[in-house]
Amino acid sequence: MTPIEVLDRWIAAFNAADPDALAALYHPDAVNHQVVREPVAGRDAIRAMFAAEFAAAEMVCIVENKFTDGAWAILEWRDPKGLRGCGFFHVVEGRIVFQRGYWDRLSAEMLYPPSSD
């Protein structure tokens, strides 16, 4: 798969809140670094991260722009509540080996407050 095809599948799996489908897009030794948090290393840990996030909040990725540059796919996104961000996906042999995401943690916490459970 090309980087943009991987990104399109990532968006579909994210919007389906499917941590298994998302994890399948990552290399076993991939790193996902959302810059407001510590990097998450390894496909299993990335899957667990997504599962926890989907359990905590309903999230939707609305694509604003998609770009490619060689082995990189770049996504600018927003969600229905107004949170905005971007993601950079390094894709090698059809798998994400590195992902970096930027978004405003303060805005996210105001829009998606932690549950009181």
Side-chain angles (χ1 to χ4, degrees):
M1 283 187 289
T2 67
I4 203 73
E5 290 169 334
V6 171
L7 179 59
D8 287 340
R9 289 187 184 191
W10 187 94
I11 294 164
F14 185 92
N15 285 339
D18 186 341
D20 293 322
L22 283 164
L25 297 170
Y26 289 84
H27 183 275
D29 298 321
V31 172
N32 183 315
H33 186 195
Q34 301 302 305
V35 297
V36 299
R37 300 186 177 138
E38 292 298 314
V40 176
R43 179 189 292 156
D44 293 338
I46 292 169
R47 187 220 169 274
M49 175 195 72
F50 281 118
E53 289 177 353
F54 293 139
E58 183 178 337
M59 297 183 293
V60 176
C61 173
I62 300 169
V63 176
E64 296 225 322
N65 290 294
K66 294 185 300 185
F67 308 93
T68 59
D69 185 9
W72 289 85
I74 302 121
L75 169 66
E76 182 182 19
W77 57 266
R78 66 181 171 85
D79 78 355
K81 293 186 178 183
L83 184 64
R84 292 180 174 277
C86 59
F88 298 82
F89 300 77
H90 186 197
V91 177
V92 175
E93 297 178 359
R95 294 284 179 257
I96 301 165
V97 295
F98 181 77
Q99 177 185 352
R100 179 173 289 134
Y102 296 91
W103 44 275
D104 181 1
R105 183 176 187 168
L106 181 58
S107 294
E109 289 174 354
M110 290 188 314
L111 294 169
Y112 300 96
S115 65
S116 58
D117 296 342

